[in-house]
Amino acid sequence: MKKQSFRSLALAARAPLAIITVAILAGCFGGVKKPQPAELQPVTALVSVRQSWNSRMGPVSFPLDVTVAGNSVGVASDDGTVALLDAQTGRDIWRMALKTPLSAGVGGDGKLLAVVTKANEVVAMQAGRELWRQKLNAQAFTAPFVAGERVFVLAADRSVSAFDGQTGRKLWSQQRSSEPLVLRQSGVMLAVGDTLVVGLAGRLAGMNPSNGSIQWEAPIATPRGINDVERLVDLVGSVSRVGESVCVRAFQASIGCVNTARGNLLWTRPANGVQGIQGDDRMLFGTEADGTVIAWKRTDGERVWSSERLRLRGLTAPLVAGRSVVIGDATGFIHLLSREDGSLLNRLTTDGSAISAAPVLAGNTLVAVTHNGGIYGFQPE
């Protein structure tokens, strides 16, 4: 690729996931045969799971987060359809059409749901009706975080804003210096006790949710390289939280864990993944950019096992459910791997389109959403 054309792409957008993809695939041009995804081997179901329901909405191509509260899940589609579903039955608790394309969502607490539109508006909904919408100063690709009757928004200019959940009144906004490029991908935002924990570039930061003041910062990765793309550092969702320990991934750089009570970094390890991580009190699980699935010790990041059985299959972030690590792929399969050694326990089918978001567990139901708008509920038998 010519240097000028690459630079024009970099300057054209603040969210360069496509740019990074171009850079990664550049070696595939010029007659080099593209590597093929690993063939799926026959599976003997060692964990028995049945599809209990399915529902539909519009296609999903934005960075969707499926929000879970008790036995309900919040989902949304590109065209602005937003729904709260009963995870046991798949039936709508409510559904509404905002009739405007979305760039991020869904955040929620089981009652209030929030999304961000491509017109840079955060929209809050409750019981199937719109409560309010407020204009943002920049695009957002991370689902709003809803907690304590407030809606928090992490925007692409590295700003964090808080809004009153019922009225939409802006409570505060804090902004850090912005880099030339950010990812068009979901970032990190969660609550740990009385602290709002946010990913700001390659650092995990603890903020006071009342006024946005930063209480601590811990570096997961630092910029490297000589151009904007090589120096891009972002923390990506999902994350693994156990008590005060929060473990995260820095895009194509590293994983690491932070003690959020003290605000200090516990450890980091190099890792070349693009999706978030999940885990329990013993291990962390993640999918690397090439489809390798890896388990690390939570205490120090030492590798426990790795599996290449899903290599190059376009994997989602994992979900830990029972004895399984659950991962979706780009052809609509959901793979259940053993958390102990990565062996295959089962494989579930959907509509053949890519799994658009990391699968979630709501009560006893595994829920997955596809690119074509299929919503599937699975339960153990």
Side-chain angles (χ1 to χ4, degrees):
M1 178 177 287
K2 294 181 180 180
K3 181 177 181 180
Q4 180 58 42
S5 62
F6 187 87
R7 180 171 174 79
S8 66
L9 278 171
L11 294 177
R14 297 191 57 82
L17 186 56
I19 299 168
I20 294 172
T21 303
V22 169
I24 293 171
L25 297 180
C28 299
F29 298 160
V32 178
K33 187 177 179 181
K34 183 179 178 180
Q36 296 300 304
E39 291 187 11
L40 297 180
Q41 302 301 313
V43 57
T44 299
L46 301 178
V47 170
S48 184
V49 181
R50 63 178 177 86
Q51 181 182 316
S52 54
W53 55 264
N54 77 283
S55 182
R56 295 204 63 80
M57 58 182 182
V60 180
S61 56
F62 70 96
L64 172 69
D65 283 343
V66 180
T67 187
V68 177
N71 285 318
S72 66
V73 291
V75 294
S77 59
D78 291 347
D79 62 4
T81 299
V82 182
L84 185 67
L85 306 183
D86 183 320
Q88 290 293 313
T89 64
R91 297 191 183 97
D92 288 359
I93 298 172
W94 57 261
R95 181 180 295 226
M96 64 177 296
L98 294 177
K99 298 181 179 179
T100 182
L102 301 184
S103 65
V106 179
D109 61 3
K111 295 182 179 179
L112 185 72
L113 297 187
V115 297
V116 180
T117 73
K118 286 189 176 181
N120 300 349
E121 294 175 317
V122 55
V123 184
M125 297 146 285
Q126 187 170 314
R129 65 183 181 91
E130 181 179 320
L131 290 182
W132 52 265
R133 64 175 63 199
Q134 289 284 4
K135 189 74 173 180
L136 302 172
N137 293 326
Q139 292 176 291
F141 307 109
T142 301
F145 178 65
V146 181
E149 300 182 345
R150 285 164 288 183
V151 176
F152 302 92
V153 179
L154 171 63
D157 62 355
R158 310 294 188 196
S159 66
V160 182
S161 302
F163 301 87
D164 182 277
Q166 289 300 309
T167 68
R169 180 174 65 91
K170 182 180 282 191
L171 303 175
W172 53 261
S173 184
Q174 296 284 353
Q175 183 172 356
R176 304 299 298 273
S177 58
S178 181
E179 292 79 15
L181 300 175
V182 296
L183 288 173
R184 191 182 297 270
Q185 189 167 332
S186 181
V188 173
M189 193 159 45
L190 70 155
V192 182
D194 294 329
T195 302
L196 178 67
V197 178
V198 181
L200 297 175
R203 306 175 76 84
L204 201 64
M207 304 179 75
N208 183 332
S210 298
N211 57 25
S213 63
I214 292 184
Q215 301 169 324
W216 52 261
E217 293 187 34
I220 304 298
T222 55
R224 62 200 187 284
I226 58 175
N227 61 48
D228 289 338
V229 173
E230 291 174 342
R231 291 178 58 80
L232 173 65
V233 177
D234 254 333
L235 303 188
V236 296
S238 56
V239 307
S240 174
R241 178 201 169 189
V242 175
E244 297 169 343
S245 167
V246 174
C247 302
V248 299
R249 181 190 292 278
F251 182 84
Q252 290 190 331
S254 60
I255 64 168
C257 291
V258 172
N259 181 305
T260 58
R262 299 192 299 266
N264 67 300
L265 180 68
L266 300 176
W267 56 264
T268 63
R269 293 279 181 177
N272 190 33
V274 300
Q275 303 287 351
I277 59 176
Q278 258 275 354
D280 55 24
D281 59 349
R282 293 193 305 118
M283 289 192 288
L284 300 169
F285 306 94
T287 59
E288 299 295 88
D290 65 359
T292 301
V293 183
I294 301 179
W296 300 270
K297 290 182 181 178
R298 190 181 191 98
T299 53
D300 57 12
E302 287 288 340
R303 186 176 295 197
V304 179
W305 56 259
S306 65
S307 170
E308 295 188 354
R309 67 176 66 249
L310 302 178
R311 185 175 171 82
L312 301 178
R313 296 199 60 85
L315 304 181
T316 67
L319 164 73
V320 177
R323 56 186 285 204
S324 304
V325 179
V326 184
I327 301 169
D329 76 12
T331 57
F333 288 108
I334 301 168
H335 308 273
L336 278 64
L337 307 183
S338 166
R339 68 162 68 190
E340 297 304 323
D341 60 11
S343 59
L344 185 61
L345 301 178
N346 205 341
R347 184 184 302 129
L348 312 175
T349 60
T350 58
D351 59 15
S353 66
I355 305 299
S356 285
V360 299
L361 193 65
N364 199 37
T365 303
L366 172 67
V367 180
V369 179
T370 72
H371 172 79
N372 286 352
I375 313 169
Y376 292 82
F378 300 91
Q379 292 182 334
E381 291 185 323

